[in-house]
Amino acid sequence: MDDRIRKALREARVVAVVGISGDPEKPSHYVARYLQEAGYRIGPVNPTLPEVLGDMCFPALADFVGGVDIVDIFRRPEAVPPIVEEAIAARASCVWMQEGVSHADAARRAEEAGLLVVQDACIKKVLQQMGGKP
């Protein structure tokens, strides 16, 4: 595993979960719950939900109150570019695209802006490889 990824996960405090579901059976929901249990503050982002896992849901990343370290994306690849732009504007340090999600142009844009980019990887699985906690 890349040392930059380990460092990002160790230093992060807030993870915005873009595309979170209210359904406990959906990966976005149980990954977010795992992140909470690992000690991260989550920022649920979904315009259709008022709250998830006890946290107020934001309609868009741009509406998120407070700083964000990692933007964890659970959306289709075609939805990624505007989310990356919001991550850059929010001064996130990392854009994380979950398994099955990648977008070469958006990744390049994020890297040019100085963000670490992880594509097609589950943040929960990576944390588990690190022993479960950053």
Side-chain angles (χ1 to χ4, degrees), residues 58-121:
F58 296 91
L61 184 58
D63 299 315
F64 187 77
V65 177
V68 60
D69 301 303
I70 297 173
V71 176
D72 190 14
I73 303 173
F74 284 91
R75 297 286 314 277
R76 294 176 189 246
E78 60 269 18
V80 168
I83 297 167
V84 164
E85 293 303 322
E86 290 182 357
I88 292 167
R91 297 192 170 130
S93 59
C94 176
V95 171
W96 195 295
M97 298 177 222
Q98 282 295 137
E99 287 181 337
V101 182
S102 63
H103 195 289
D105 291 338
R108 187 170 30 261
R109 171 75 178 112
E111 287 171 348
E112 288 169 357
L115 280 70
L116 172 65
V117 176
V118 179
Q119 298 187 80
D120 192 21

